[in-house]
Amino acid sequence: MATHAAMPGRRGSRAHARTRHHTSLAWALPLVLGVIYGFYAAFIRRDGGPSTGGQVLLGLVSGVALAALCFVLGRIQRSLPRELRAVAYGALTACAIGFLVSLTDTSVLRSAGLGLVVGAGVLVVSYYYFYTREP
């Protein structure tokens, strides 16, 4: 009568197989974020003048870097505890915002301060989200 409880189910094999493959969202979301970030970085650096190769290269490199970091964070986020996951999202956001602000030729303190404020906000919101959604 209790045999059904001891038999292995198929759910574990499917869940394990699903983690090996990348879903389309796992590729699309970092790619879209990277493209938008790269265009915005190049737009900020352009400052109303004509576009140059250096600005395009800056946008391309910064977009690829952000997309790669978002993809890596998305791949390892399930293995991190919720506190460390919130810190990772906050740090990634703080660095990204701080870099964009630094492109506007403002002071380093303003770039770092605004990056820290936005990163701290993302840390708090993501920790709350992870804390309320996980068992």
Side-chain angles (χ1 to χ4, degrees):
M1 184 144 178
T3 308
H4 70 280
M7 293 182 63
R10 295 176 60 174
R11 182 181 183 118
S13 63
R14 256 191 275 153
H16 181 63
R18 190 179 307 144
T19 59
R20 290 184 182 194
H21 301 292
H22 305 296
T23 63
S24 60
L25 186 62
W27 288 100
L29 187 62
L31 182 66
V32 168
L33 285 174
V35 167
I36 292 170
Y37 189 81
F39 276 132
Y40 193 60
F43 177 76
I44 289 173
R45 202 63 185 145
R46 185 172 150 237
D47 198 29
S51 295
T52 63
Q55 295 163 355
V56 172
L57 184 65
L58 173 78
L60 183 65
V61 169
S62 60
V64 167
L66 184 76
L69 289 172
C70 287
F71 180 75
V72 168
L73 183 58
R75 294 299 300 157
I76 66 168
Q77 72 176 342
R78 296 286 180 207
S79 64
L80 298 174
R82 69 180 81 128
E83 297 86 6
L84 192 56
R85 193 180 329 164
V87 168
Y89 276 106
L92 180 62
T93 305
C95 292
I97 295 297
F99 177 70
L100 286 179
V101 173
S102 74
L103 291 177
T104 62
D105 293 330
T106 58
S107 70
V108 174
L109 292 176
R110 182 174 179 190
S111 304
L114 191 57
L116 285 175
V117 167
V118 172
V122 169
L123 184 141
V124 168
V125 169
S126 61
Y127 178 75
Y128 176 76
Y129 178 80
F130 297 142
Y131 186 77
T132 57
R133 299 291 193 272
E134 292 179 357

